[in-house]
Structure formats: structure tokens, C-alpha cells
Amino acid sequence: MINNPTEEVNRVLQQAHVAFLSYKNFSGKQKAAFLRAIADEIEALGAELVSTAMRETNLPEARIINERGRTTGHCRMFADLVEEGSWVEARVDTALPNRIPAPKPDMRKMLVPIGPVVVFGAANFPLAYSTAGGDTASALAAGCPVIVKAHPAHLETSKLVAAAIEKAAAKTGMPQGVFQHVHGEGFEIGQALVKHPFTKAVGFTGSLVGGKALFDLANQRPEPIPVFAEMSSINPVILLPETLSRDAAKTASQLAGSITLGVGQFCTNPGLIIAIDDAALASFIATLVTEIEKSLPGTMLHQGIADNYAKRLTQTLAQKGVKAEGQSANGNAAQGTPLVASVAAETFLQNPTLSEEVFGPFSLIVKCKDTNELHQVITKSHGQLTATIIGDEAEISKHKVLINMLIEKAGRLIINGVPTGVEVCPAQMHGGPYPATTDSRFTAVGTDAIKRFVRPVTFQNFPESLLPTELKTENPLGIWRLFNNEQKK
Ligand code: NAP
């Protein structure tokens, strides 16, 4: 617990700054050993980690075990990435001294770590997006020291994981301060961490209000820094009419499962369903309502999230033209009640409140008169993490324009699936235009997440002996580089 936030934040960032001076030069092999040791130490926490996370978050055992596997998995994935080495994107443009009219200098470029990174743990992923989450693992892989601001909703879980990381750092000879864990009441500490001149980037997962506040704060600094905030997404699902007329019941069951999964507390929860208002949609709604009525209310992550869900639900249902179609039995004050509602597209288009995230097991069905109106709804929608089309290949081929429209709106496009379930792999894009994130060019999941915490540097006319190992002509690391003179090494 912090008594004097300014003093403590200053001490922590001083330490991170000193750690960076050596850690940035650690080899891929050394960083890989550290990341693998983190995974091992998290596993060594055993049942204590699982029971603590369950107690603090109300999430079931299977979910926590799954999340632990995902966390250790991404630590090992980044270990493999940095050990192999080509992630630095080395470009080698050798000199052309006889080029006319002017000689070309020797130019070599690679990615280097940006500096100490502050990570705000997420409420809804106590392991995979928190203390040893994707932001921490990718920043450490890049060569950046990390300071985690623990989420108060799962502080004990966070402390256990932090101790595991510190143990791994000591075992693998990492510099003091390569990883630090801070916690305390109120926004003061988080804001002081973002404002500190030694902080060079921020990773955040949480609310739009919180993410935007920290983004604005970072931009008001004398030296602005990037904030990679993942905030708000309602993940539209578009149902194409011909396919829906054949598969209404199956599609409804699939979507009901996705809406209620984890009491709807996923950033990829399908919060908006868009379709043409016809008989197939009526049949889809009937099955969806049956499925939602059969589902059970679930205890949410913390009381603040439950209160927020109840408030946003009441607010949404009070909007003109919104009809509650069906809900599960009412839960208690700590629980989230699954509910689906509908609204005419014309009304939806006129009311911006209906485009805002309702974080929990809720989805709004937007009924469109025709394809033109459906296009208007998509055009008007905000940036999203995902967008889904339910339709067979032949029908989607007649609606290719939809794909183009959705590319502008979302980071991941899905055909005939559900948006929940985020694969951790190199091709993953977990990000999207604002307000889904503050920077649509980057992903928070998968190997490319490392790119948030690096910047390119060119070394011009450097003698071989002074070049970073990755850029030397003789390539001792054996990594792949892009050469100008048709040589690939
Ligand atoms: P949050 O309120 O945004 O808090 C996340 C973290 O950021 C916490 O550590 C919080 O500090 C800190 N923070 C927030 N605003 C700040 C500010 N102005 N200055 C400094 N620090 C600040 O998110 P949450 O508690 O996890 O969840 C609240 C709501 O966020 C949910 O109901 C939901 O609507 C949304 N949410 C969305 C997603 C998503 O992926 N889309 C995920 C999680 C939550 P404190 O610990 O001091 O509060």
C-alpha cells in the first residue's frame, strides 16, 4: 500500500529507468529465459492462485484454469518470438559508394524497446489481461521494464502473480526493477504513473471513461506518450436474410451462448445484432428469447460492474422505441440478468445512447426495413474490436459491399461464428478504431502486440563493430533480414 504516491511513483520509475538501461540490451535468449521462468512460476503457484482468483472475481474454476493456461501460453509464445529474433524487422541497405549522381550511405534499421511501460490490469481478466497479461508479457519481450498498477478487484491474485514474476526475474538474473507492482486507493497513483517523465508507454484495458482519461493525460504531458487502451466495443453481428430463413434457430442458440458467456463480461460480447425485419428475424428472436429465458443470472466480477450493468440496462430500456424481448429470471444485486431487446433501425439511427456499450449479458437487435437501412446502421456505428456476418458464401457474395464497410469499422471480421473467444496467435488482431481502442494500428493479443512497445531506429554509416548484433553483415543470430542487394540473410 502506498502512503505517499508521488514519492513512491518516483522511486518506482527511477528504478524502472535504471533497469531499462541494461535490460534493453539483453539478448533474445536472456529475455526468453525470463518469460519462460514467469510461466513456470505462475504454474508453481498451483491451487492457491486458482482459489484466490475465483474468490476475488466470482469466475468459475474452469475459466480461471483456462485463463492461467492462456497466460503461461502467451509468456512462452513471446519467449519463442524473441529467441528467434526476426521480430526486430532488421532492414539492411548496404552502401552504394559509386551510385550516380550521389553515393548511397550504408543504412540499417531495426526495432528497439521504447522504455518503461505502465500496465493497468483489467477487471474482467484477472490473469490473461492483468499482472502477467498480454501487455506485460509483450512489453517485457520487447525489452521494456513494466510497472503494473493492480486492479483493486483482484488485488490478492495480482500480488501472487507479481511475486511469481519477481521470483522469475531473480532466478534468471534480470536487473532490479525490471518488473514492479503498485497498488493503492483512488486514481492518484495511476495518474502519477502515467505523468512520470520516465514512463514511455501505457497499456490499459477497462472502461471508455478511464481509458480516455489516461489517454488525454498522456497527451497533456510535456512529452506526450502513447497509450494503448482497449475500451469499448459492442461487436455487431449482421444476419443475412436468406441464410437466416434456413438457420434461424441454430443461429439464435449460438448467439445466446455468446451473449451469456462469462455473464457477458467480455470485450468481444455481441452487444448488437443487425438484421432485415422479416419472418426469419421473428423466428430468430423467438428462439433467442427462449434461450435467454432458460439462461441463469450470474454473479458479476465486482459490485461496481454489476451496478454499472444494472444502470446501463435500465437506461437503455428507457429509451424511446426500445422493446425488451426476453430475459432470464431476475438475479440479486450482485448478478447480471441476461436480457435481449429490439429497436427499429430508424430509431436506433437517431439515438447515440443505443450505440454505447452495456457491459454484461445484453444484446440489442436492430430491425432494418431493407439493405439500405442496414448499411446506414453499419455506417453510423463506432469503431469495434470485431464484426460478424452470418450468411453462406453465396449470399455473402451478393453483399460484398458489407465486407468493405466492416473493414473500416473493426479489427477482426468473422463469418459464421461468434465474436467471443480470442485466439492467441500471430494472425490475431485484437484492436480496432476508436472507441474500441485508442490506436487502431495495433493489436493487444498475438505476437504483434510487441509492436506497441518498440520504435524503429536507423543506423547510418555505422562500422560493423558498432552495429547491434541483429544488423551486422555477418549474421551471428541467424535471423532473417531484408537486404537491398537481393541477398537474404
Ligand atoms: P475502469 O473503471 O476503467 O478501471 C480500470 C483501471 O483503470 C483501474 O485500475 C482504475 O483505477 C484505473 N482508472 C480508471 N479511470 C482512471 C482515471 N481517470 N485515472 C486513473 N486511473 C483510472 O474499469 P473497470 O473497473 O475494470 O470496469 C468498469 C467498467 O469498464 C465496466 O463496467 C465496463 O463497462 C468497462 N469494461 C470494459 C472492458 C472491455 O474490454 N470493453 C473491460 C473491463 C471493463 P482504480 O483501480 O483506482 O479504480
Side-chain angles (χ1 to χ4, degrees):
M1 178 63 114
I2 291 176
N3 294 322
N4 184 338
T6 316
E7 218 172 83
E8 176 67 1
V9 164
N10 205 25
R11 187 190 64 73
V12 163
L13 262 310
Q14 282 286 350
Q15 200 153 264
H17 173 69
V18 173
F20 180 55
L21 299 178
S22 58
Y23 187 58
K24 67 179 181 175
N25 295 319
F26 275 38
S27 69
K29 262 193 171 17
Q30 288 171 298
K31 289 185 289 183
F34 178 31
L35 288 160
R36 289 192 185 112
I38 293 175
D40 294 344
E41 292 299 335
I42 289 173
E43 280 165 358
L45 292 169
E48 191 190 0
L49 178 64
V50 178
S51 59
T52 308
M54 285 170 66
R55 176 171 46 78
E56 289 192 309
T57 62
N58 304 308
L59 291 171
E61 184 178 25
R63 158 69 195 274
I64 298 292
I65 289 174
N66 187 292
E67 218 185 290
R68 180 180 60 185
R70 188 167 154 174
T71 308
T72 54
H74 67 219
C75 288
R76 293 183 175 120
M77 176 190 76
F78 283 113
D80 292 346
L81 183 80
V82 295
E83 193 168 54
E84 187 272 337
S86 60
W87 72 274
V88 299
E89 296 181 0
R91 303 283 181 265
V92 179
D93 270 312
T94 47
L96 296 172
N98 300 323
R99 190 180 69 174
I100 290 170
K104 179 187 173 198
D106 187 280
M107 309 279 287
R108 302 178 189 221
K109 182 170 77 167
M110 65 179 278
L111 300 175
V112 303
I114 200 166
V117 173
V118 169
V119 171
F120 286 81
N124 59 340
F125 276 86
L127 300 175
Y129 285 86
S130 286
T131 316
D135 290 355
T136 297
S138 56
L140 290 175
C144 302
V146 168
I147 301 103
V148 165
K149 150 73 176 70
H151 198 290
H154 43 72
L155 181 57
E156 296 310 315
T157 306
S158 195
K159 282 182 184 170
L160 283 173
V161 176
I165 301 175
E166 279 153 15
K167 213 164 163 186
K171 274 189 180 170
T172 52
M174 294 298 121
Q176 171 110 15
V178 70
F179 172 86
Q180 295 174 90
H181 186 241
V182 296
H183 55 94
E185 300 280 320
F187 293 163
E188 207 181 342
I189 293 150
Q191 294 182 354
L193 287 168
V194 172
K195 283 200 282 195
H196 198 282
F198 284 153
T199 299
K200 295 301 173 198
V202 177
F204 171 96
T205 308
S207 66
L208 176 58
V209 173
K212 181 67 166 56
L214 295 173
F215 176 81
D216 290 343
L217 196 64
N219 279 292
Q220 285 154 13
R221 292 171 31 132
E223 178 205 350
I225 53 167
V227 173
F228 301 100
E230 190 201 316
M231 304 171 296
S232 170
S233 181
I234 53 173
N235 307 296
V237 178
I238 294 120
L239 310 176
L240 294 184
E242 286 167 31
T243 308
L244 195 67
S245 68
R246 289 190 299 273
D247 286 342
K250 189 179 126 218
T251 306
S253 307
Q254 214 180 359
L255 275 169
S258 183
I259 292 164
T260 54
L261 188 71
V263 204
Q265 299 165 113
F266 289 112
C267 45
T268 51
N269 189 58
L272 193 68
I273 297 169
I274 311 165
I276 306 288
D277 190 8
D278 60 8
L281 182 64
S283 153
F284 164 86
I285 293 175
T287 312
L288 185 64
V289 165
T290 307
E291 295 289 330
I292 292 292
E293 283 173 353
K294 275 195 296 194
S295 70
L296 295 171
T299 305
M300 299 193 84
L301 290 155
H302 61 77
Q303 196 54 49
I305 286 196
D307 291 345
N308 191 38
Y309 176 59
K311 189 179 107 196
R312 288 285 299 117
L313 207 52
T314 307
Q315 192 184 20
T316 303
L317 295 175
Q319 300 301 303
K320 189 175 150 244
V322 174
K323 177 187 170 204
E325 295 281 358
Q327 66 164 84
S328 74
N330 273 319
N332 62 35
Q335 291 181 315
T337 302
L339 191 148
V340 284
S342 69
V343 66
E346 199 181 354
T347 312
F348 178 84
L349 287 165
Q350 286 162 9
N351 187 347
T353 304
L354 298 176
S355 294
E356 288 168 21
E357 185 182 56
V358 180
F359 193 72
F362 170 76
S363 199
L364 180 65
I365 302 156
V366 180
K367 298 174 168 181
C368 307
K369 283 199 293 271
D370 51 27
T371 309
N372 187 32
E373 202 173 45
L374 189 142
H375 289 179
Q376 283 178 47
V377 171
I378 295 169
T379 307
K380 198 100 193 269
S381 77
H382 299 309
Q384 307 287 345
L385 292 172
T386 73
T388 302
I389 304 175
I390 305 289
D392 63 26
E393 194 174 349
E395 191 177 13
I396 297 175
S397 303
K398 291 187 243 164
H399 291 270
K400 276 194 185 139
V401 63
L402 264 184
I403 297 176
N404 264 331
M405 294 171 97
L406 294 174
I407 286 173
E408 277 183 43
K409 296 291 176 185
R412 177 163 58 105
L413 307 189
I414 302 154
I415 287 181
N416 294 331
V418 291
T420 41
V422 179
E423 190 66 37
V424 183
C425 66
Q428 181 58 270
M429 174 60 199
H430 190 66
Y434 187 87
T437 74
T438 44
D439 197 332
S440 63
R441 294 167 299 169
F442 296 94
T443 177
V445 176
T447 45
D448 282 347
I450 199 171
K451 294 194 176 148
R452 295 171 300 168
F453 305 122
V454 293
R455 61 191 181 85
V457 171
T458 292
F459 299 81
Q460 185 169 334
N461 278 345
F462 267 53
E464 192 73 12
S465 63
L466 298 180
L467 279 168
T469 316
E470 289 87 342
L471 295 178
K472 287 187 191 297
T473 306
E474 290 312 316
N475 181 4
L477 295 177
I479 64 169
W480 188 87
R481 292 95 51 84
L482 202 64
F483 268 71
N484 70 335
N485 298 334
E486 289 115 41
Q487 338 159 34
K488 280 185 179 174
K489 292 201 175 186

